Coordinates of all heavy atoms in Angstrom, one line a residue:
A1 N 70.0 -30.2 18.0 CA 71.4 -29.8 18.2 C 72.2 -31.1 18.4 O 73.5 -31.1 17.9 CB 71.7 -28.8 19.3
S2 N 71.7 -32.1 19.2 CA 72.6 -33.2 19.6 C 72.5 -34.4 18.6 O 73.3 -35.2 18.4 CB 72.2 -33.7 20.9 OG 70.8 -34.1 21.0
S3 N 71.3 -34.5 17.9 CA 71.1 -35.7 17.0 C 70.7 -35.5 15.6 O 70.8 -36.5 14.9 CB 69.9 -36.5 17.7 OG 70.2 -36.9 19.0
G4 N 70.4 -34.3 15.3 CA 70.2 -34.0 13.9 C 68.8 -34.1 13.5 O 67.9 -34.6 14.1
A5 N 68.7 -33.5 12.3 CA 67.3 -33.5 11.8 C 66.6 -34.8 11.3 O 65.5 -35.0 11.6 CB 67.3 -32.5 10.6
V6 N 67.5 -35.7 10.8 CA 67.0 -37.0 10.5 C 66.4 -37.7 11.5 O 65.3 -38.3 11.5 CB 68.1 -37.8 9.7 CG1 67.7 -39.1 9.4 CG2 68.5 -37.1 8.4
N7 N 67.4 -37.7 12.8 CA 66.8 -38.4 13.9 C 65.5 -38.0 14.6 O 64.7 -38.6 15.0 CB 68.0 -38.6 14.8 CG 69.0 -39.7 14.5 OD1 68.6 -40.7 14.0 ND2 70.3 -39.3 14.7
I8 N 65.6 -36.7 14.5 CA 64.3 -36.0 15.2 C 63.0 -36.1 14.4 O 62.0 -36.1 15.0 CB 64.7 -34.4 15.5 CG1 63.7 -34.0 16.7 CG2 64.5 -33.7 14.2 CD1 64.0 -32.7 17.1
S9 N 63.3 -36.5 13.2 CA 62.0 -36.7 12.3 C 61.4 -38.0 12.8 O 60.1 -38.1 12.5 CB 62.5 -36.8 10.9 OG 63.2 -38.0 10.7
L10 N 61.9 -38.8 13.6 CA 61.3 -39.8 14.0 C 60.1 -39.6 15.1 O 59.2 -40.5 15.2 CB 62.3 -40.9 15.0 CG 63.4 -41.5 14.1 CD1 64.5 -42.1 15.1 CD2 62.8 -42.6 13.2
V11 N 60.2 -38.4 15.5 CA 59.0 -38.0 16.5 C 57.7 -38.1 15.8 O 56.6 -38.2 16.3 CB 59.2 -36.6 17.1 CG1 59.0 -35.6 16.1 CG2 58.4 -36.4 18.3
T12 N 57.7 -37.9 14.4 CA 56.5 -38.0 13.7 C 55.8 -39.3 13.7 O 54.6 -39.4 13.7 CB 56.8 -37.8 12.1 OG1 57.6 -36.6 11.9 CG2 55.6 -37.6 11.3
F13 N 56.6 -40.4 13.9 CA 56.0 -41.8 14.0 C 55.2 -41.9 15.5 O 54.4 -42.7 15.6 CB 57.0 -42.7 14.0 CG 57.9 -42.9 12.7 CD1 59.0 -42.2 12.5 CD2 57.2 -43.5 11.5 CE1 59.6 -42.2 11.3 CE2 57.8 -43.5 10.3 CZ 59.0 -42.9 10.1
L14 N 55.9 -41.2 16.5 CA 55.4 -41.4 17.9 C 54.3 -40.4 18.2 O 53.5 -40.9 19.1 CB 56.6 -41.2 18.8 CG 57.9 -42.0 18.4 CD1 59.1 -41.7 19.3 CD2 57.6 -43.5 18.7
V15 N 54.2 -39.2 17.8 CA 53.2 -38.4 18.2 C 51.7 -39.0 18.2 O 50.9 -38.9 19.1 CB 53.2 -37.0 17.5 CG1 51.9 -36.1 17.7 CG2 54.4 -36.2 17.9
P16 N 51.3 -39.6 17.0 CA 49.9 -40.2 17.0 C 49.8 -41.2 18.1 O 48.6 -41.4 18.6 CB 49.8 -40.8 15.5 CG 50.8 -40.0 14.8 CD 51.9 -39.7 15.7
I17 N 50.8 -41.9 18.4 CA 50.5 -43.0 19.3 C 50.2 -42.5 20.8 O 49.3 -42.9 21.5 CB 51.9 -43.9 19.5 CG1 52.2 -44.5 18.2 CG2 51.9 -44.8 20.6 CD1 53.6 -45.2 18.2
S18 N 51.0 -41.4 21.2 CA 50.7 -40.8 22.5 C 49.4 -40.2 22.5 O 48.6 -40.2 23.5 CB 51.8 -39.8 22.9 OG 52.0 -38.8 22.0
A19 N 49.0 -39.4 21.3 CA 47.8 -38.7 21.3 C 46.6 -39.7 21.4 O 45.5 -39.4 22.0 CB 47.7 -37.8 19.9
I20 N 46.6 -40.8 20.6 CA 45.6 -41.7 20.5 C 45.4 -42.4 21.9 O 44.4 -42.7 22.4 CB 45.9 -42.8 19.4 CG1 45.9 -42.2 18.0 CG2 44.9 -44.0 19.5 CD1 46.3 -43.1 17.0
F21 N 46.5 -42.7 22.6 CA 46.5 -43.4 23.9 C 45.8 -42.5 24.9 O 44.9 -42.8 25.7 CB 47.9 -43.7 24.3 CG 48.0 -44.3 25.8 CD1 47.7 -45.5 26.0 CD2 48.4 -43.3 26.9 CE1 47.7 -46.1 27.3 CE2 48.3 -43.9 28.1 CZ 48.1 -45.1 28.4
L22 N 46.2 -41.2 24.9 CA 45.6 -40.2 25.8 C 44.1 -40.1 25.5 O 43.3 -40.0 26.4 CB 46.3 -38.9 25.8 CG 47.7 -38.8 26.4 CD1 48.4 -37.5 26.0 CD2 47.6 -39.0 27.8
G23 N 43.8 -40.0 24.2 CA 42.4 -39.8 23.7 C 41.6 -40.9 24.2 O 40.3 -40.8 24.7
I24 N 42.0 -42.2 24.0 CA 41.2 -43.3 24.3 C 41.1 -43.5 25.8 O 39.9 -43.8 26.3 CB 41.8 -44.5 23.6 CG1 41.7 -44.4 22.1 CG2 41.2 -45.8 24.2 CD1 42.4 -45.6 21.3
V25 N 42.3 -43.4 26.5 CA 42.2 -43.7 28.0 C 41.4 -42.6 28.8 O 40.7 -42.9 29.7 CB 43.6 -43.8 28.5 CG1 43.6 -43.9 30.1 CG2 44.3 -45.1 27.8
I26 N 41.7 -41.3 28.4 CA 41.0 -40.2 29.3 C 39.8 -39.6 28.6 O 38.9 -39.3 29.4 CB 42.1 -39.2 29.4 CG1 43.4 -39.9 30.1 CG2 41.7 -38.0 30.3 CD1 44.6 -38.9 30.4
L27 N 39.8 -39.4 27.4 CA 38.8 -38.7 26.6 C 37.6 -39.7 26.2 O 36.6 -39.3 25.5 CB 39.1 -37.8 25.5 CG 40.2 -36.6 25.9 CD1 40.6 -36.0 24.7 CD2 39.5 -35.8 27.0
D28 N 38.0 -41.1 26.3 CA 37.0 -42.0 25.9 C 36.7 -42.0 24.4 O 35.6 -42.1 24.0 CB 35.6 -42.0 26.7 CG 34.8 -43.2 26.6 OD1 35.4 -44.3 26.6 OD2 33.6 -43.1 26.7
E29 N 37.7 -41.7 23.6 CA 37.5 -41.5 22.1 C 37.6 -43.0 21.6 O 38.2 -43.9 22.2 CB 38.5 -40.6 21.6 CG 38.3 -39.1 21.9 CD 39.4 -38.3 21.5 OE1 40.4 -38.7 21.0 OE2 39.1 -37.0 21.5

């Protein structure tokens, strides 16, 4: 609602980063 669909699509770039970080640090992947 505040930033629009184009800006929110940037989350696609960021999700793997946080998932990979959590997986490596906590799950030892």
Side-chain angles (χ1 to χ4, degrees):
S2 64
S3 300
V6 173
N7 283 321
I8 203 171
S9 67
L10 290 171
V11 76
T12 309
F13 301 96
L14 302 173
V15 167
I17 297 174
S18 57
I20 291 168
F21 175 79
L22 291 170
I24 291 174
V25 172
I26 302 178
L27 299 180
D28 198 28
E29 295 177 344

